[in-house]
Amino acid sequence: MKKIISLLVLLFSIGSFAQDKNVSATIAFPMTVGDYEDFNGIVDFGLQVRFTKLGVLNLGGSMDVNYLQNNYNLGTFSIKESALILQPRVFGELSIPSIQKFRPYFGVGYTLVNFTFKSDALKEKDNKGGLNLNLGAAFDLTDNFFVHIQYDTTKIPYKQTIENSENDLVVSYDRSLDLLKIGVGIRF
């Protein structure tokens, strides 16, 4: 916790002297909905860089890093699942002069997920990925600080092979990784 507070103080110090606020950093609480609702959100860190402005639209790139976990018992076994999620994307942010403090945004990118499954007897890892769509909005509290809410959805493709004596059946399906994130940020 001390490291997070120190980081926020450092970012505030940098942000106080910056002239162009084309970079922002966020920290949020991710909540899972959809197919992965058993996972508990731990933290989401984000970094956004605005490259160009086209009228009221700021275009840029961003990266979110999320950590989720799920702990449960199955009989006498203690099972721990975790997911480290990387979400690089391009985004557009509206900066409307009549409502300067409110900034809606949208993005598209690719989500990479590293799943880890640990029990008393084994440890497995699996990497998945899929197209990510993002919608959100930020509300400026000051010139440097803001609160934000965003929704990310990712379709993650799966293939499962069902073996039998005559032939193998391959079943393909998608699972939806949906995250609702609420947090704070700083522009610098």
Side-chain angles (χ1 to χ4, degrees), residues 61-80:
S62 67
M63 171 67 91
D64 285 1
V65 178
N66 301 269
Y67 183 72
L68 312 173
Q69 69 179 16
N70 182 18
N71 300 325
Y72 57 94
N73 293 318
L74 187 61
T76 59
F77 290 102
S78 174
I79 298 172
K80 296 179 181 181

Side-chain angles (χ1 to χ4, degrees), residues 1-178:
M1 187 63 167
K2 289 181 181 180
K3 290 181 182 180
I4 292 173
I5 292 172
S6 299
L7 178 65
L8 290 174
V9 168
L10 175 66
L11 291 175
F12 175 75
S13 301
I14 293 170
S16 321
F17 299 106
Q19 296 296 319
D20 295 327
K21 295 186 171 78
N22 292 327
V23 177
S24 57
T26 59
I27 185 168
F29 176 70
M31 294 172 276
T32 57
V33 293
D35 294 336
Y36 292 92
E37 66 184 18
D38 292 341
F39 279 86
N40 298 308
I42 303 300
V43 70
D44 168 79
F45 293 107
L47 183 67
Q48 302 81 32
V49 179
R50 289 150 195 87
F51 299 121
T52 189
K53 185 173 177 98
L54 301 172
V56 296
L57 183 66
N58 293 316
L59 296 176
S62 67
M63 171 67 91
D64 285 1
V65 178
N66 301 269
Y67 183 72
L68 312 173
Q69 69 179 16
N70 182 18
N71 300 325
Y72 57 94
N73 293 318
L74 187 61
T76 59
F77 290 102
S78 174
I79 298 172
K80 296 179 181 181
E81 294 177 298
S82 63
L84 179 63
I85 303 168
L86 303 176
Q87 296 177 302
R89 73 175 67 86
V90 293
F91 72 93
E93 174 188 67
L94 294 174
S95 180
I96 304 167
S98 60
I99 49 172
Q100 292 179 359
K101 291 185 177 236
F102 181 70
R103 298 173 186 250
Y105 55 87
F106 57 92
V108 64
Y110 193 81
T111 295
L112 304 165
V113 186
N114 176 271
F115 291 103
T116 302
F117 175 87
K118 295 180 191 176
S119 72
D120 299 332
L122 68 106
K123 179 179 179 180
E124 290 185 18
K125 290 189 174 196
D126 190 18
N127 295 311
K128 298 286 184 191
L131 179 68
N132 169 257
L133 299 175
N134 164 271
L135 289 173
F139 183 80
D140 295 343
L141 299 174
T142 68
D143 287 344
N144 294 331
F145 292 101
F146 61 93
V147 294
H148 75 104
I149 184 168
Q150 74 182 45
Y151 180 78
D152 288 288
T153 185
T154 304
K155 297 294 183 200
I156 299 178
Y158 281 85
K159 280 190 178 178
Q160 183 176 2
T161 302
I162 301 170
E163 298 177 12
N164 61 34
S165 60
E166 294 178 22
N167 58 7
D168 293 342
L169 175 66
V170 177
V171 178
S172 296
Y173 58 96
D174 292 338
R175 291 189 72 193
S176 182
L177 174 62
D178 300 314

